[in-house]
Each structure stands twice: as structure tokens, then as C-alpha cells.
Amino acid sequence: KKTRRGIGGFVSDLPSPENLASMVTNVTETMWGLSFGISHQPADLPWEEEPCWRTATLPINGPRHLNVAVASDKPGGTALCSAMFMCEVGEVAPGMIDEGLSELANIVAGQVKNAMGLDDTLGLPSLAAKPAGDAQKWRAATLSNDNTSVRVWVAVTEGAA
């Protein structure tokens, strides 16, 4: 793994975009039959081109104070939650998207914590249109599923978001 000097002088070993993609797919493929790969679309920050994204950000509280974020646009969030909650796409309410993204952020945060060997506590997710702070500082991947309209942005950063 590549390392870099992180916020507060820690050496950062944050998961790579490929590892983040794998963490999401490990969950979504097993539980809901959805696998993801890294999107080859040019937008690193998808909500700048498509503003209707929802983001669940969850802190990992400890000496390094990490944050994990999972975001999706409305069509992707609807398709993802349809699979998660085993219902038709037309039955997915907006609150279900927030709940689904929050749950996925919680699961991915647990995997990040495990992968990094941390004994820190997971906080509660917060919801917004995009992650707090400078999104360029997040180690991120935009993921897509070739068989559905689902696109997901997943990221981790060090320091307060």
C-alpha cells in the first residue's frame, strides 16, 4: 500500500479506491445481488454535474478521526434501495434512500475500520447533498453497476469532515 502523511502527522494508510470498491461489492453482491466496479466516467465529484445526490457520512471516532461517506443519485439510490428492501422501484420512498445509504455507510465504515486494524467506535451517520469539507481531500471512488442505473460514490478521509 502507498502511504502519505495525513492530517495531524499520522501516516495514512487509507483504503485505495479499488479497495473501497471491493468493500462495497462484498456487501452489496452478497446481500442484494449488486456488484460494482470503478466508474470510468470523468466526474470525480458526481454531484457537481448532477446535483441531486444524497450522501451519508459516518465518523469513525478515535485518535485519527476518520469519516466514511456513501452517496448516490436519486435513480441509483432508488434502485439500490429497491434491492436492499426487496420492493419494487416504485415503492421506494425518499426516506428509504436516506436509510439505505446510512446503512451502507455503516457497513463500509465497519469494513474500513477492520481493514485498518482500528479499535475505534463508529458514530452515527449524517445526511446531506454532498460530503462536508473539501471533497478533494477524500480518497474516493465512483462506482457503477453495468446492469442497473446504480452509481455510488464511496470515500474515506482523515480528520474532521
Side-chain angles (χ1 to χ4, degrees), residues 77-91:
T78 301
L80 177 65
C81 289
S82 171
M84 288 175 78
F85 298 115
M86 295 182 268
C87 65
E88 295 297 320
V89 170
E91 297 173 359

Side-chain angles (χ1 to χ4, degrees), residues 46-123:
W47 50 83
E48 290 181 351
E49 291 186 13
E50 301 171 33
C52 296
W53 283 63
R54 290 295 286 165
T55 304
T57 303
L58 190 140
I60 301 174
N61 299 310
R64 294 178 68 173
H65 193 79
L66 302 175
N67 289 284
V68 172
V70 175
S72 186
D73 60 359
K74 186 174 180 180
T78 301
L80 177 65
C81 289
S82 171
M84 288 175 78
F85 298 115
M86 295 182 268
C87 65
E88 295 297 320
V89 170
E91 297 173 359
V92 175
M96 292 170 74
I97 295 172
D98 288 348
E99 186 177 330
L101 290 175
S102 294
E103 181 59 26
L104 190 54
N106 188 47
I107 293 167
V108 173
Q111 290 190 7
V112 167
K113 182 181 142 176
N114 241 6
M116 295 180 67
L118 302 174
D119 190 28
D120 301 333
T121 59
L122 299 181

Side-chain angles (χ1 to χ4, degrees), residues 38-50 53 136 140-144 151 153:
I38 293 180
S39 175
H40 299 291
Q41 295 186 355
D44 289 333
L45 305 174
W47 50 83
E48 290 181 351
E49 291 186 13
E50 301 171 33
W53 283 63
Q136 296 290 345
T142 301
L143 312 176
S144 63
R151 282 200 318 145
W153 182 85

Side-chain angles (χ1 to χ4, degrees), residues 10-54:
F10 291 104
V11 174
S12 182
D13 55 353
L14 299 177
S16 69
E18 293 79 12
N19 287 343
L20 289 169
S22 178
M23 288 176 188
V24 171
T25 291
N26 287 344
V27 173
T28 59
E29 191 169 48
T30 301
M31 297 177 77
W32 308 303
L34 293 172
S35 61
F36 290 93
I38 293 180
S39 175
H40 299 291
Q41 295 186 355
D44 289 333
L45 305 174
W47 50 83
E48 290 181 351
E49 291 186 13
E50 301 171 33
C52 296
W53 283 63
R54 290 295 286 165

